[in-house]
Amino acid sequence: MHMKMKSILMGAALSLMVATSAMAEWQPSGPIKLQIGFDAGGETDTIGRIVAKKMADDTGWNVVAENKPGGGGLAMFTQISVVPADGQTIGLGVSMPVLVNLVLRGDELPFTLDSFDYLATAAYAQLAIVAKKDAPFDDLAGLIAYSKENDGALIGFDAKPQELLLNFVAKQAETTFKPVSMKSSAEQIQNVLGGHVIASFSAGAHIPYLESGDIKMIASANGSRHGYAPDVATVQEQGYDIFVDPYFYFAGPAGLPADAKAALSNALTSAIGSDEVKTAINNAFKSDPTNLGAEGTRKMMDDGLANVAKLFGK
């Protein structure tokens, strides 16, 4: 079993064992607001609402999902950082927008990583770098060689951290990538298949084409390999110490009472492990839930902050 997956399972199991007794003792004094840092209808909203319902079903608590969009979750986490630390308000956001903004303008934000108590993760987007089946390379070294031989390589991306990863690799490899901005993984895959770019990122849209043989995967852009492609090495394993791990995570305000924090983390762990949430995450990301537990979630944010600083050359 992969070492990262072992630690994930051990962390989740430990969180569940430690929190079981606390969950039986702690009860909220009113409705729990589960704030979602994005608009209704998207992947984050879907996961948040299913988790809220499962928490309510499992515990008998009144858990109310609320959309608090703005700034990729920044508006919601700003509010979470100042609400009373009584366990009545928690938030669901995505790590990368928070980490990028902390790196770029942390002195302007009203919160730091220490402004929160971290509870759980639900999933992370498995990000691949892919190419058409007949591309003249099979790995990152081959893509770099292609780029050097052809005065650059056109590569699709749909989020700033992906472009920064390309720039990081290109600088170290002393080559030129030509990132092409697109709106989605689906658009990137169509441009790869159509020959408009030689490679692209993808967060799941490539999997049917991987299975049909029309697309090949040349690297995992995450910190670990993908379950559906265990033989494809990460960018890090291929010689470049960088990764992009967009985690969907839950946090409350710093200073939660220990019994409340344990009970909330336990209730989230139970919900995230349910068939309903697993199905939603499978549909959204073509992967299973990934819960790092309370301590693992904080470590993920700390490690992520250092990694994003490298993406920006800081």
Side-chain angles (χ1 to χ4, degrees):
M1 184 180 291
H2 193 278
M3 186 62 68
K4 180 174 180 180
M5 185 55 66
K6 276 187 177 179
S7 64
I8 289 169
L9 294 174
M10 289 175 65
L14 182 61
S15 296
L16 189 62
M17 291 169 61
V18 169
T20 299
S21 60
M23 182 178 171
E25 296 170 5
W26 183 81
Q27 292 294 325
S29 59
I32 293 177
K33 297 178 182 178
L34 198 170
Q35 297 187 350
I36 301 164
F38 294 84
D39 285 313
E43 294 160 342
T44 313
D45 177 62
T46 298
I47 292 169
R49 289 184 179 278
I50 295 174
V51 167
K53 183 179 185 306
K54 278 300 297 176
M55 286 178 70
D57 290 345
D58 291 346
T59 63
W61 302 339
N62 182 11
V63 184
V64 181
E66 299 180 344
N67 295 98
K68 299 288 182 180
L74 294 184
M76 182 268 293
F77 278 122
T78 295
Q79 189 171 16
I80 292 287
S81 69
V82 297
V83 300
D86 56 9
Q88 302 294 124
T89 307
I90 60 176
L92 168 62
V94 181
S95 60
M96 287 305 294
V98 174
L99 296 172
V100 166
N101 278 277
L102 282 171
V103 167
L104 292 183
R105 56 187 192 96
D107 56 342
E108 300 173 20
L109 296 180
F111 61 78
T112 69
L113 290 185
D114 292 331
S115 301
F116 308 98
D117 277 349
Y118 299 88
L119 302 170
T121 61
Y124 74 101
Q126 293 192 122
L127 189 62
I129 302 175
V130 301
K132 200 173 178 181
K133 65 177 180 180
D134 56 1
F137 51 82
D138 296 311
D139 55 18
L140 198 53
L143 174 57
I144 290 165
Y146 173 91
S147 178
K148 290 180 176 180
E149 293 166 3
N150 291 275
D151 193 29
L154 293 171
I155 303 175
F157 75 97
D158 67 359
K160 187 67 175 177
Q162 299 169 17
E163 181 184 22
L164 294 172
L165 183 147
L166 290 176
N167 293 341
F168 181 95
V169 172
K171 183 177 179 180
Q172 288 205 354
E174 298 181 343
T175 190
T176 302
F177 291 150
K178 298 176 180 177
V180 181
S181 180
M182 298 180 188
K183 294 181 180 179
S184 66
S185 290
E187 182 180 353
Q188 291 179 76
I189 293 303
Q190 292 309 311
N191 275 274
V192 168
L193 292 171
H196 306 298
V197 295
I198 193 65
S200 80
F201 289 88
S202 175
H206 63 291
I207 292 177
Y209 300 96
L210 200 63
E211 293 170 347
S212 68
D214 296 310
I215 288 284
K216 59 185 172 182
M217 182 171 159
I218 66 170
S220 159
N222 297 99
S224 61
R225 299 188 184 195
H226 299 179
Y228 61 84
D231 296 331
V232 180
T234 66
V235 170
Q236 281 183 305
E237 290 172 326
Q238 296 187 52
Y240 301 90
D241 190 19
I242 204 72
F243 62 87
V244 177
D245 267 349
Y247 271 90
F248 294 75
Y249 73 100
F250 298 87
L256 289 173
D259 58 349
K261 180 178 177 180
L264 288 165
S265 182
N266 184 52
L268 285 165
T269 294
S270 178
I272 292 162
S274 69
D275 289 341
E276 294 92 330
V277 173
K278 181 177 180 179
T279 297
I281 290 173
N282 284 161
N283 290 339
F285 306 115
K286 313 301 181 189
S287 64
D288 288 335
T290 302
N291 182 9
L292 300 177
E295 291 185 9
T297 302
R298 174 60 198 255
K299 184 178 187 303
M300 175 273 295
M301 294 296 284
D302 286 335
D303 292 347
L305 190 65
N307 181 67
V308 170
K310 284 196 294 185
L311 280 172
F312 284 96
K314 297 191 175 185

